[in-house]
Amino acid sequence: MAQAAGVSPSTASLVFSGRGRVSDATRDRVLAAASELDYTGPDPRAASLRRGRSGVVGVVFEGRLGSAFLDPVNTVMMDGLAEGVAPLGAGLLLLRDDAPAETIDGPPPASLETAPVDAVVLVGCSGRLTQSLDTVRRRGIPVVVIEGDAGDGIPRIELDNTEAQRQAASHLRTLGHERVTILTLPWTAERVAGWHDASRERPVVDVTRDRLAGARDVYPDAAVFAARESTIDAGVEAARVILGTEPGDAPTAVIAQSDLLAAGVIRAAVQRGLRIPEDLSVTGFDGVRLDGFAPYVLTTLEQPAAAKGRAAGKAVARMLAGDVAPSIRFTCAFRAGNTTAPPRG
Amino acid sequence: MAQAAGVSPSTASLVFSGRGRVSDATRDRVLAAASELDYTGPDPRAASLRRGRSGVVGVVFEGRLGSAFLDPVNTVMMDGLAEGVAPLGAGLLLLRDDAPAETIDGPPPASLETAPVDAVVLVGCSGRLTQSLDTVRRRGIPVVVIEGDAGDGIPRIELDNTEAQRQAASHLRTLGHERVTILTLPWTAERVAGWHDASRERPVVDVTRDRLAGARDVYPDAAVFAARESTIDAGVEAARVILGTEPGDAPTAVIAQSDLLAAGVIRAAVQRGLRIPEDLSVTGFDGVRLDGFAPYVLTTLEQPAAAKGRAAGKAVARMLAGDVAPSIRFTCAFRAGNTTAPPRG
DNA sequence: TTGTAGGCGTTATCAT
DNA sequence: ATGATAACGCCTACAA
């Protein structure tokens, strides 16, 4: 305690917080004493307690951090989020949503249950995220959900997934495509790849469901294949199956629910000797910068990923200020690239 | 305060921490009272203060979070780190090392100065990281540095960069390559791409310097080109320059300091009509899973990225326990892929 | 402009 | 097995 040893008891607080009126002489004395004792400023933990704020916002992903950051769209969103909470002076605490393993004889693991967070941002929507939601609400902490349905009065940051995907589908329809396959993001949190009968089963994952609806508005009878995850490799694997059907049955276009999947489809198609877009049209979703994808420019829906993050940050700030934060629905922009063209013949 | 209202004053603590011997009857009474007041367990902030631990480990990257996660090697390392600090029960707080913008009239931004962290992991080594280091040491917080030189008694987690890179170079030498170009990671934190006279200038970035040394041990006269960042696109750009020299001068092999750069070189070479590895051999560094890179399998040095993260986590745990943590040097494994072959003719 | 007092919600220690 | 007490280090009134 600088004050006890040094000079004044708690005028020091004013000096360090900088918000008080302190005479230069006193300030100097305090600072001198502080450096004497090598006191390095207020203990953030004590300040947290006193203020009732820790300056930390939790970000909850499903599964491994590694897989969450595999898709650039998440990365960009995180950048936006970091920016969005900056005015709040908050840092981002990474949290996973799976059951915290028991630490033997140690402190309980930092989970949603116990993490010193002022607010929480939930990303995506596995089944477990619903559980996470309960935890957070029980704690009475403000929550914002990105790309997921939290029901009730919980602010959502989302996209016009259905409308946007409909645009891409219409684009293909206008070009004249009739045999179209829809390549979706994972159907459930379990992430199994495979064909689905979309008229009977609904995807569990919100994003998947909404984008699928948009595509099916235009192509109600399109075949539907779910990828195991949103990566180029998963796209390649899926495309091998999709394009592997009888030549006559093979689609002339694939509507992929993410840019990574679309990139995989294109790669697989090219390896098969197909030309893009002459032999196969492919649309993506996200509009992310695909590292190393030139010379292709995906026909895709550009989503404002960074803006989504920033909006989540702002929503958190408002809730922390006691306001209610509205849900926000961002609009994706259709961008025509060079991966779509009229079907052959 | 559950205790004040409910039943016992602070036996409640025992109930919630679970570490005390409490009779079932009492526990039930406490729990009942808690749910009555919908008290959801101890306030982590108060617990932090009392315990002197916040259960948070800071991870400092340079620049935007987004660019940090662009390279899968960082992502994998983060996974390892998350795992490594798990037994500690700690979460990971993402921090940037750049000057925190002033928040007008708000709380000071969560920076290294004020974040409620028990320990800090510094990743990489810009000039600013050195500064971050000062901050942290002033605060008396345990620090571990990954892939950077912190001097003094600060535990380092690093690779045998020089030796490993020498292996790749020797491999090329054995194959018979004589005209080799070295494509390095950024030379300085400023990230400008371009040729360098390696016999006069030393890279500022540790990793770049060490890997370069290994390559130059075998090819002292190799041309050296620094990429602007570790991405496929930067590799493509660099390769356009490197391969753009007079045909007779063009290298028969490129030693790239990261897999992403190597992938870019290969992509650019293929676009130029070169066959890999017949017309050009390329080696990478990292051994990360390159999404969408099949059928190529890079000849590369596999680094134990996840193990690095885990080791950092363990080091942090030891330091928090009062021990000194040793620096650790991991070994990379040379892995021959299908991107290297003897030069033509 | 500076000092004093009280309490934020815990948990560790000690006594019962 | 439980209760009492005392900090943990700060911040914000309010008093001087």
Side-chain angles (χ1 to χ4, degrees):
Chain A
M1 218 191 239
Q3 44 262 61
V7 267
S8 43
S10 75
T11 308
S13 178
L14 298 183
V15 172
F16 284 102
S17 70
R19 59 179 69 247
R21 324 98 310 195
V22 187
S23 78
D24 287 0
T26 316
R27 183 200 321 288
D28 288 351
R29 240 166 358 122
V30 172
L31 259 26
S35 83
E36 190 74 23
L37 299 155
D38 46 57
Y39 170 85
T40 54
D43 178 336
R45 288 178 284 263
S48 286
L49 175 58
R50 185 59 236 262
R51 289 206 240 253
R53 287 278 161 83
S54 62
V56 173
V57 172
V59 186
V60 183
F61 286 99
E62 51 176 326
R64 312 185 132 261
L65 266 23
S67 35
F69 291 127
L70 229 45
D71 197 323
V73 86
N74 279 329
T75 298
V76 173
M77 189 272 292
M78 282 293 285
D79 260 342
L81 186 54
E83 205 176 304
V85 298
L88 230 153
L92 261 22
L93 184 68
L94 256 32
L95 293 169
R96 298 178 44 175
D97 68 349
D98 41 8
E102 289 301 323
T103 41
I104 326 114
D105 198 37
S111 65
L112 223 39
E113 305 270 3
T114 61
V117 291
D118 296 335
V120 169
V121 177
L122 261 29
V123 182
C125 59
S126 65
R128 274 170 304 177
L129 272 184
T130 311
Q131 211 175 340
S132 307
L133 195 66
D134 284 348
T135 307
V136 181
R137 290 183 40 188
R138 215 175 17 240
R139 282 183 65 183
I141 295 176
V143 202
V144 174
V145 175
I146 296 184
E147 293 292 338
D149 183 6
D152 316 57
I154 297 188
R156 272 202 285 287
I157 310 292
E158 53 185 1
L159 301 174
D160 61 336
N161 282 308
T162 303
E163 296 74 13
Q165 187 68 86
R166 197 185 292 129
Q167 284 181 60
S170 300
H171 166 72
L172 290 174
R173 160 73 75 202
T174 304
L175 289 175
H177 288 275
E178 289 176 359
R179 284 199 317 285
V180 171
T181 294
I182 303 169
L183 173 54
T184 76
L185 292 166
W187 198 265
T188 65
E190 282 71 42
R191 307 170 158 280
V192 188
W195 295 106
H196 285 274
D197 180 348
S199 49
R200 302 222 181 150
E201 330 158 53
R202 275 160 52 100
V204 176
V205 180
D206 293 336
V207 182
T208 308
R209 175 170 24 79
D210 295 344
R211 294 186 187 170
L212 177 59
R216 277 174 56 82
D217 279 350
V218 179
Y219 291 106
D221 302 320
V224 176
F225 190 94
R228 89 187 131 75
E229 61 180 11
S230 180
T231 61
I232 299 179
D233 285 343
V236 170
E237 289 167 26
R240 292 221 177 98
V241 179
I242 292 171
L243 303 175
T245 43
E246 296 296 309
D249 288 357
T252 61
V254 173
I255 297 174
Q257 284 189 349
S258 85
D259 284 356
L260 290 180
L261 288 174
V265 171
I266 289 175
R267 190 141 300 157
V270 169
Q271 277 173 22
R272 249 189 139 74
L274 300 177
R275 285 166 308 158
I276 306 290
E278 294 81 359
D279 300 327
L280 184 72
S281 286
V282 181
T283 66
F285 203 116
D286 287 340
V288 294
R289 197 182 75 89
L290 275 184
D291 189 21
F293 195 61
Y296 296 111
V297 180
L298 266 177
T299 295
T300 191
L301 287 321
E302 264 176 22
Q303 69 153 290
K308 258 167 52 182
R310 278 194 298 271
K314 256 185 212 147
V316 161
R318 293 186 64 161
M319 295 177 82
L320 250 20
D323 290 358
V324 290
S327 288
I328 299 184
R329 195 185 175 82
F330 283 97
T331 301
C332 300
F334 176 78
R335 184 187 73 194
N338 58 19
T339 60
T340 46
R344 277 213 298 186
Chain B
M1 215 191 236
Q3 43 263 59
V7 267
S8 43
S10 75
T11 307
S13 177
L14 297 183
V15 173
F16 284 103
S17 71
R19 57 179 69 248
R21 317 116 299 205
V22 186
S23 78
D24 288 359
T26 316
R27 182 198 324 285
D28 289 349
R29 244 174 342 133
V30 172
L31 258 26
S35 83
E36 190 74 23
L37 299 155
D38 46 57
Y39 169 86
T40 53
D43 179 334
R45 287 177 285 261
S48 286
L49 175 58
R50 184 61 238 253
R51 289 206 240 252
R53 288 275 162 83
S54 62
V56 173
V57 173
V59 186
V60 183
F61 287 98
E62 50 176 327
R64 312 184 131 261
L65 267 23
S67 36
F69 292 127
L70 230 47
D71 197 322
V73 84
N74 279 329
T75 298
V76 173
M77 190 272 291
M78 282 294 285
D79 260 344
L81 186 54
E83 205 175 306
V85 298
L88 231 154
L92 260 24
L93 184 67
L94 258 30
L95 294 169
R96 298 178 45 175
D97 67 350
D98 41 7
E102 289 301 323
T103 40
I104 327 114
D105 198 41
S111 64
L112 225 37
E113 305 271 3
T114 61
V117 292
D118 295 336
V120 169
V121 177
L122 260 31
V123 182
C125 58
S126 65
R128 274 170 305 178
L129 272 184
T130 312
Q131 211 175 339
S132 307
L133 196 65
D134 284 348
T135 307
V136 181
R137 289 183 41 188
R138 215 172 22 239
R139 284 182 64 182
I141 295 177
V143 202
V144 175
V145 175
I146 296 184
E147 292 294 334
D149 184 5
D152 315 57
I154 296 189
R156 271 202 287 288
I157 310 292
E158 52 186 1
L159 300 174
D160 60 337
N161 283 307
T162 303
E163 296 73 13
Q165 187 68 84
R166 195 185 292 127
Q167 285 181 59
S170 299
H171 166 72
L172 291 174
R173 161 71 77 205
T174 304
L175 289 175
H177 289 274
E178 289 176 1
R179 286 200 315 285
V180 171
T181 294
I182 302 169
L183 172 55
T184 76
L185 292 166
W187 200 264
T188 65
E190 282 70 43
R191 306 171 160 278
V192 187
W195 294 105
H196 285 274
D197 180 348
S199 50
R200 300 217 181 155
E201 329 157 54
R202 275 159 52 99
V204 175
V205 179
D206 293 338
V207 181
T208 308
R209 173 167 29 75
D210 296 344
R211 294 186 188 171
L212 177 59
R216 277 173 55 82
D217 280 349
V218 179
Y219 292 106
D221 302 321
V224 176
F225 189 95
R228 88 186 132 77
E229 62 180 13
S230 180
T231 61
I232 298 178
D233 285 342
V236 170
E237 290 166 27
R240 291 218 176 101
V241 179
I242 292 171
L243 302 176
T245 43
E246 296 295 307
D249 289 357
T252 61
V254 173
I255 297 175
Q257 284 189 349
S258 83
D259 284 355
L260 291 179
L261 288 174
V265 171
I266 289 174
R267 192 145 299 158
V270 169
Q271 278 173 21
R272 250 187 139 72
L274 299 177
R275 285 165 309 158
I276 307 290
E278 293 82 359
D279 300 326
L280 183 72
S281 286
V282 180
T283 66
F285 203 117
D286 286 341
V288 295
R289 198 182 76 89
L290 277 184
D291 189 21
F293 194 61
Y296 295 112
V297 179
L298 266 176
T299 294
T300 191
L301 286 320
E302 264 176 22
Q303 70 152 289
K308 259 167 51 182
R310 277 193 298 270
K314 259 185 208 145
V316 161
R318 293 186 65 159
M319 295 176 83
L320 251 19
D323 290 359
V324 290
S327 289
I328 299 184
R329 196 184 175 81
F330 283 97
T331 300
C332 300
F334 176 79
R335 183 188 72 194
N338 59 18
T339 61
T340 48
R344 278 214 297 185

